[in-house]
Amino acid sequence: IQTVISYDGLGDNLVEGVKLNPYVRILFELDGSVGPTASDGIYIELGTAPSFLLIDSPKTPVTVAFPVIVGMGFDNFYEDNESIGYLSVGVKASMPIPALAKWGNWTVSTGISGIFGNDDAVGNFNSNIAGQSNDTRVIGFVSFGLGF
């Protein structure tokens, strides 16, 4: 069972033009199938993505965000009952695609994220299950979104 609580307006009055976009994700495992252990546990993710308008264009404004995420586990969610599973930091740029506007609110985004895993929490899972031997990853991406 999972829920997300977010607030898009935080930061409006702290620095002009900057939004903080904080959120909390809470996940309760029911059968030990989500986390790196076989036991039930609780996962809590704290995140923020401070963002601002980089290019103020009427048709194609560009927004830049700097997402920061901390993944935490409790009640044996992670191996050895570790509390901190990973930290992710990155940068993301997004803009609308006006040529597709008649089919909805399309956007294109690109960015890069660094994910730093806690070896004590996710090391065995990463190496045995996912086939990875390094707890640090850099991931670049391009994505398309559709809002309606």
Side-chain angles (χ1 to χ4, degrees):
I1 297 175
Q2 173 178 228
T3 189
V4 177
I5 301 166
S6 63
Y7 184 64
D8 290 338
L10 187 63
D12 289 349
N13 296 322
L14 297 175
V15 177
E16 186 175 338
V18 176
K19 294 184 181 284
L20 295 180
N21 307 309
Y23 73 92
V24 175
R25 177 184 315 270
I26 302 171
L27 180 142
F28 296 93
E29 274 187 300
L30 299 178
D31 62 1
S33 63
V34 178
T37 66
S39 64
D40 294 346
I42 300 169
Y43 172 78
I44 297 177
E45 182 177 291
L46 301 177
T48 185
S51 65
F52 64 93
L53 189 61
L54 179 66
I55 299 174
D56 189 5
S57 168
K59 290 188 178 182
T60 55
V62 177
T63 301
V64 175
F66 298 92
V68 178
I69 302 167
V70 177
M72 300 176 291
F74 302 95
D75 197 22
N76 286 316
F77 182 83
Y78 288 121
E79 297 170 18
D80 299 327
N81 206 22
E82 290 285 326
S83 295
I84 304 295
Y86 71 95
L87 169 69
S88 174
V89 294
V91 61
K92 173 182 171 182
S94 302
M95 65 180 275
I97 306 173
L100 301 176
K102 67 181 176 180
W103 295 292
N105 296 321
W106 284 86
T107 59
V108 61
S109 301
T110 187
I112 190 166
S113 293
I115 301 173
F116 309 94
N118 175 356
D119 189 44
D120 292 334
V122 296
N124 287 333
F125 176 79
N126 285 346
S127 62
N128 295 336
I129 306 298
Q132 301 171 356
S133 60
N134 188 338
D135 293 329
T136 301
R137 292 277 182 252
V138 176
I139 301 170
F141 64 90
V142 174
S143 65
F144 294 90
L146 170 61
F148 51 91

